[in-house]
Amino acid sequence: MCILAACISCTSAPQGTDIKPLDLLDDAGAFYIKLPKKTDPVLVERILRSSVDGLDEGDAKTIASHIDTIYTGIARARRNTTIQAAISGSVPKKIVQSLLKKHAAWNQKELKIEGSGRTYFYYTSSVSDMQLAFPSNKIACVAKDVGPMLIDFDSHSFMEDFSHRVSDAVYEWLDDAGSEIRFYAPNPLSFLTILTGANLNLQLNYVCGSMITDAHHDDQYVMSIEFDFYNEKVVNMGKAMLALAFGLTNSQAVQNSPTNITVSGIKISKQQLYKLFLL
């Protein structure tokens, strides 16, 4: 449902204003992912179906065909997971209206931006704790509280605000225009635990990387990951633990600096990535 009403808003950004979805994500994520739809359309459809109670496969395919890229920040606590997403794409208004009517659990509300006086619509659900907002016909937002995202959208649209909440490193890595899936984990422990199934107690500053679908096996990705360690004394031990966790028998490791390595050629099941989205 996160882009079902991407054409509905009560105010529009000025002509020529370039609002990037990354400008709307906050800095609370343990890891961030850029997911171009053409890289894994099945994952996009599954994210949509998990976000909308009762959304059928046909509707999910229709919506996904109008999505360009999903940018997601995920924060994990012991008992819950918080997901925030900013999506680029454009869904024709007649499709939006049809799907909103079909899935009537969503109720429209409005938020008046203090200071600017502009008002935006957002949507709440009787069966989900997620909120949806569609501030323009090119960007949609989903979060437990979309208010901060709408405030940032308004500021970027009308006040010539060029700031972003995520770190420069996250922004620059995910802002790449390529078609590969990209990820950046400022807090890499939970990210690696989900991907490997192992509790890797590594002294890591960050993890970032990219993945594409394996040309020979469409049920898995080929991944390249950069690991940045706090202390060079733990690098060799870390490499050994990573080799065991990922099964890096056919991968290649390059030492970029005493505390930084890049491992490429890692093969990983798509199901392991789907776990990040609780699918």
Side-chain angles (χ1 to χ4, degrees), residues 18-204:
D18 182 20
I19 311 300
K20 294 184 177 181
L22 273 172
D23 294 336
L24 308 182
L25 293 184
D26 66 29
D27 60 355
F31 45 91
Y32 298 85
I33 296 178
K34 181 196 79 168
L35 175 63
K37 186 263 297 184
K38 60 184 176 183
T39 302
D40 192 342
V42 173
L43 176 55
V44 170
E45 292 168 20
R46 292 182 68 161
I47 291 173
L48 292 172
R49 296 188 68 183
S50 72
S51 302
V52 187
D53 187 63
L55 185 67
D56 60 38
E57 183 177 356
D59 287 341
K61 287 183 179 295
T62 298
I63 299 165
S65 68
H66 296 279
I67 288 177
D68 177 28
T69 305
I70 299 178
Y71 298 86
T72 302
I74 303 175
R76 284 193 181 274
R78 177 168 301 202
R79 296 182 180 274
N80 60 23
T81 297
T82 301
I83 298 177
Q84 182 187 57
I87 301 151
S88 63
S90 180
V91 179
K93 189 173 182 178
K94 62 181 180 180
I95 294 178
V96 171
Q97 294 173 331
S98 173
L99 291 174
L100 282 174
K101 184 177 180 180
K102 182 177 180 180
H103 304 281
W106 295 89
N107 302 305
Q108 180 178 292
K109 296 186 177 182
E110 61 180 49
L111 172 68
K112 187 172 183 179
I113 305 297
E114 185 176 352
S116 76
R118 281 176 284 272
T119 302
Y120 294 85
F121 293 141
Y122 68 98
Y123 300 83
T124 62
S125 170
S126 60
V127 295
S128 169
D129 62 354
M130 300 300 284
Q131 296 180 357
L132 313 172
F134 318 97
S136 81
N137 64 346
K138 294 183 179 180
I139 290 181
C141 307
V142 57
K144 287 190 174 181
D145 179 9
V146 296
M149 301 179 80
L150 292 176
I151 291 171
D152 284 345
F153 178 88
D154 189 79
S155 177
H156 281 76
S157 298
F158 297 97
M159 303 298 291
E160 297 186 355
D161 182 358
F162 303 107
S163 65
H164 49 266
R165 296 184 185 274
V166 299
S167 71
D168 289 344
V170 170
Y171 195 94
E172 291 170 6
W173 182 247
L174 297 188
D175 194 38
D176 179 85
S179 61
E180 63 192 6
I181 295 172
R182 285 200 166 197
F183 55 90
Y184 196 110
N187 182 358
L189 180 59
S190 58
F191 178 77
L192 291 175
T193 298
I194 293 168
L195 284 185
T196 66
N199 186 10
L200 299 178
N201 188 19
L202 302 175
Q203 298 180 41
L204 286 164

Side-chain angles (χ1 to χ4, degrees), residues 144-269:
K144 287 190 174 181
D145 179 9
V146 296
M149 301 179 80
L150 292 176
I151 291 171
D152 284 345
F153 178 88
D154 189 79
S155 177
H156 281 76
S157 298
F158 297 97
M159 303 298 291
E160 297 186 355
D161 182 358
F162 303 107
S163 65
H164 49 266
R165 296 184 185 274
V166 299
S167 71
D168 289 344
V170 170
Y171 195 94
E172 291 170 6
W173 182 247
L174 297 188
D175 194 38
D176 179 85
S179 61
E180 63 192 6
I181 295 172
R182 285 200 166 197
F183 55 90
Y184 196 110
N187 182 358
L189 180 59
S190 58
F191 178 77
L192 291 175
T193 298
I194 293 168
L195 284 185
T196 66
N199 186 10
L200 299 178
N201 188 19
L202 302 175
Q203 298 180 41
L204 286 164
N205 179 31
Y206 67 83
V207 169
C208 68
S210 61
M211 61 184 84
I212 59 173
T213 298
D214 190 330
H216 304 292
H217 302 279
D218 60 8
D219 62 343
Q220 70 181 13
Y221 298 107
V222 178
M223 183 165 55
S224 175
I225 310 183
E226 177 186 336
F227 300 91
D228 193 79
F229 294 84
Y230 282 119
N231 189 335
E232 63 182 278
K233 294 181 180 179
V234 302
V235 173
N236 288 334
M237 179 187 68
K239 288 168 67 175
M241 293 177 66
L242 290 167
L244 182 63
F246 280 108
L248 304 180
T249 53
N250 296 317
S251 62
Q252 297 180 340
V254 175
Q255 189 94 25
N256 304 311
S257 76
T259 58
N260 185 284
I261 62 172
T262 297
V263 182
S264 57
I266 301 171
K267 295 187 177 181
I268 183 169
S269 165

